[in-house]
Structures are given as structure tokens and as C-alpha cells.
Amino acid sequence: MTESVLDRIMEQQDDLRKGGPEADRLGRLTDSTVDTMKAAGSIKMLQPKTHGGFEVGVREFAETVMATAAINPPAGWVNGVVGVHPWQLAMADSRVQEEIWGEDENTWIASPYMPNGMAVPVEGGYRMSGRWSFSSGTDHCQWAFLGAMKCDRDGNVVNPPTMLHVIVPRGEYSIIADSWDVVGLKGTGSKDLVIEDTFIPEYRVMEYDRLLDGSQVRAAGLSQTLYRMPWSCMFPLGITAATIGICEGLLAEAMNYQRERINARGTAIKDDPYTLYAMGDSAAQIRSAREALITNAEQIWDLVDAGKEVTFERRAAGRRDQVRAAWQAVRAIDDIYPRCGGTALRMDKPLQRYWRDAHAGLHHAIHSPSTVYHAAALSGLGVEPHGPLRAMI
């Protein structure tokens, strides 16, 4: 049997675990952690086989991200975020694929997708300026997907608004070194990027709506189920898998910590039914969140694989379940962490780091339940949502 990325990660878990506290201190992944992830092929799981990737299924991808996050939270987060970018690049123009992967199939690509750039059309492409926040793992990436709004030649946003994803090499944007001073997920190094009046050739530009409606993958001629999966399933999958994995890591650390602990009343935790009940219930909640996320992704995979349409109603229900899974797991650790006593607050203990990182994971836009729940409920009632209710679905 061929060794998987997960197998290779678990073989190096001791070294990978050591990189977590150091990443928190540095404000980015350690070079050693990145070397381990590259050797394992962490970011190549969704990469096309034509460029050295593995084209794994959604379960294998999610489970590998979860396991990595449980060992080293920021590494798992970067795995979940940066790991989806090869999936999107597989649909891009072959020229930019060759630019990125031609010499090094292990080249990492950053983001973010927020349309903070203004792309003005010129001969052969666009000129763009802007500033973007939350570029996870960016110190170790050589390219970036950046969101922009398409403008007319006078610099005004076109109507109807058109969002673009532009692909930019490292030498054409700046990383703002001191822009990631945060309470959680510090080790992800999710810094700001800046571009000033940079030329973007047309072949490095993708329209966001064409990613959503599937026309981008059809134009690329990709028939694999993996690449025909909806954007609204694949992009959130890695982020939620990382968040749940961090919660699994906290649970494991708490179980290890509580094993020989005596509480303030002089009772061994092994003899404390109240704490044991809470820990058992929380463990079940985290396990349930894990399975809900994976089952949802696999059900959508089965629809796509069978050549069936994944309707807006089904995509909205999938996003609802994905968001719920993240919140369920994080709420579960809120029942575990306080029961670990005052010593667990110490900064030299790992529990506080997992707790901070898991809560920070909920702050990502894809974990906002408001419009997602609203759209899912309306769709279930046979009402077609419009406008902002369709965002990221």
C-alpha cells in the first residue's frame, strides 16, 4: 500500500509538535515545520497529478488537515488554507501553472481572496493596486491569489460588479512584516500584502463567478470529480477541518494533563464524576463535528461523481452543516479547558495556545453562521435567496 501524506505526517509528529510553540513566538511557521510538510506533500494533496500532485478525496484531505492541526495548530491551518490553492490553480491557464509548478512542484501559493484590489484594464491584462489582510503562511509562499474588483479604464468598478482572482508572483507584492499581531493563530503568519500599480497579464486572472458556477472547470477540460466539486464545499473544507483538528488537539492535551491531576478539593480527576462527564460529553461533541464535516463533503462528492447537479439548496445546507461543525467543536472545548484548573492558564502550557487558536478559527468569514443559516432555511422553504444571502454558497 502506498504511504499517504497522513502517514508521513504521523511519522514526523514529534518534530512537528515542537514547532507549534516556536511558531507562536515567531508569528509564522518554522522553517523546520515547512520542510516537514513539504517532504510529506501536505500542500500537494489537491494538486493535479500532471504537476506532481496526489488528487486525493475530500475525506483524506480533511483528515490529514485535522491530524496536522491537532499536532501543530498553525501548521494545520496553513495546510487547510494553502492546501486548497492547488485545487483552484488546476483550473487556471496552463501558462501560469507552468510558471508556478514548472521548476518546483512543491511551490506554495498564498491568498487572500477579499476583493481589496482595483484591477484596471490595460493592453494585455490589468494594472492593480491594493492591500490585503490575512495571508496565511505567506512567508513560505512564492505566489498569491489576490481578490480584486474589475474596473473600467477610468478606475471605476464595473456594473454589475465583477470579482476577480489574480495570480501574482512574490516579487510583485510586499509582505508587511509587523501586520500580524493577534491573540490566536499567531503561528500562521497571516500578514498583510501590498501591491502598487502592478501589471497582471490576462492569463493570470480568473473570474470568481466562473469558479462558483462551474464554467471555469468546464473550460479547463477537467473531468475529475475532485475539480468539479463546488467551490463552496472545497474552500471552507480545509479551514473548518483545521479548526476541528485544533479542538481535537486540545482534547488530547487535556486528557494527558488530567490523567494524574488532583483538583483543588484533593480529588483525583479519575474519581471526579463531574469533570469526567464534561470531558466525555465534549469528546462526543468534537467527534460528532468531525464526522458531520466529512460526511457532508462526501455526500456532495457522491452527487458530483454521479453527474448530478449540486443545487443551491444543497450547497446552502452543506455550508450550514460545515459552519455548525466548527462552532460545535469550539463550544465543546469551552467545557474542557476551564475544568483543567488554573495551571492550564500558564503560557508555558500548550492548552492555552490550542484554546486561543481554535477560537481564532471561528473568526474566519466562512464560519459566520448568519447569512448561511438564513439562506439554508429559506432554500429549504422553497424560497430563492438573493443578494448577500448567496455569498460564499
Side-chain angles (χ1 to χ4, degrees), residues 77-229:
W77 183 268
V78 171
N79 195 168
V81 174
V82 177
V84 173
H85 299 153
W87 175 83
Q88 180 177 352
L89 188 62
M91 306 173 203
D93 190 290
S94 60
R95 287 171 289 181
V96 70
Q97 291 184 37
E98 185 61 26
E99 286 176 331
I100 294 174
W101 289 324
E103 293 186 6
D104 183 2
E105 294 171 344
N106 236 332
T107 298
W108 289 11
I109 313 159
S111 48
Y113 295 108
M114 285 296 291
N116 290 357
M118 303 297 283
V120 178
V122 295
E123 182 70 26
Y126 298 86
R127 298 205 71 86
M128 189 176 76
S129 298
R131 178 166 178 156
W132 296 259
S133 298
F134 312 116
S135 183
S136 296
T138 200
D139 288 294
H140 301 284
C141 296
Q142 296 304 314
W143 288 75
F145 278 107
L146 299 175
M149 297 305 298
K150 186 176 182 178
C151 299
D152 60 25
R153 293 187 180 274
D154 295 324
N156 302 308
V157 175
V158 299
N159 190 26
T162 301
M163 189 188 307
L164 305 175
H165 289 175
V166 303
I167 310 170
V168 187
R170 176 74 168 263
E172 296 178 8
Y173 58 85
S174 300
I175 299 173
I176 308 304
D178 60 352
S179 57
W180 187 240
D181 185 13
V182 290
V183 70
L185 291 173
K186 295 174 69 173
T188 64
S190 303
K191 300 170 183 176
D192 288 9
L193 306 182
V194 173
I195 281 182
E196 296 181 2
D197 194 30
T198 296
F199 174 69
I200 313 294
E202 180 70 38
Y203 70 86
R204 292 189 195 153
V205 178
M206 306 172 80
E207 287 193 13
Y208 175 62
D209 285 346
R210 298 189 72 227
L211 287 168
L212 285 185
D213 67 17
S215 58
Q216 183 73 42
V217 68
R218 289 192 294 272
L222 297 172
S223 60
Q224 300 96 313
T225 299
L226 173 62
Y227 300 115
R228 291 187 291 115
M229 287 286 285

Side-chain angles (χ1 to χ4, degrees), residues 22 26 34 50 61 63 84 110 118-119 123 145 174 200 202 208 219 226 233 247-248 251 267 279 289 341 369-370:
E22 181 67 5
L26 291 174
V34 172
T50 53
F61 175 67
E63 289 185 337
V84 173
M118 303 297 283
E123 182 70 26
F145 278 107
S174 300
I200 313 294
E202 180 70 38
Y208 175 62
L226 173 62
C233 176
C247 294
E248 291 179 326
L251 174 63
T267 302
M279 293 181 70
S370 53

Side-chain angles (χ1 to χ4, degrees), residues 219-282:
L222 297 172
S223 60
Q224 300 96 313
T225 299
L226 173 62
Y227 300 115
R228 291 187 291 115
M229 287 286 285
W231 167 270
S232 59
C233 176
M234 295 303 297
F235 174 58
L237 179 61
I239 298 168
T240 303
T243 303
I244 293 172
I246 295 169
C247 294
E248 291 179 326
L250 185 145
L251 174 63
E253 292 287 350
M255 295 293 284
N256 184 58
Y257 176 65
Q258 297 278 37
R259 189 166 283 113
E260 304 300 332
R261 180 172 168 254
I262 308 296
N263 67 21
R265 298 184 300 277
T267 302
I269 297 303
K270 293 177 182 178
D271 298 322
D272 179 355
Y274 308 108
T275 299
L276 294 176
Y277 175 89
M279 293 181 70
D281 183 66
S282 296

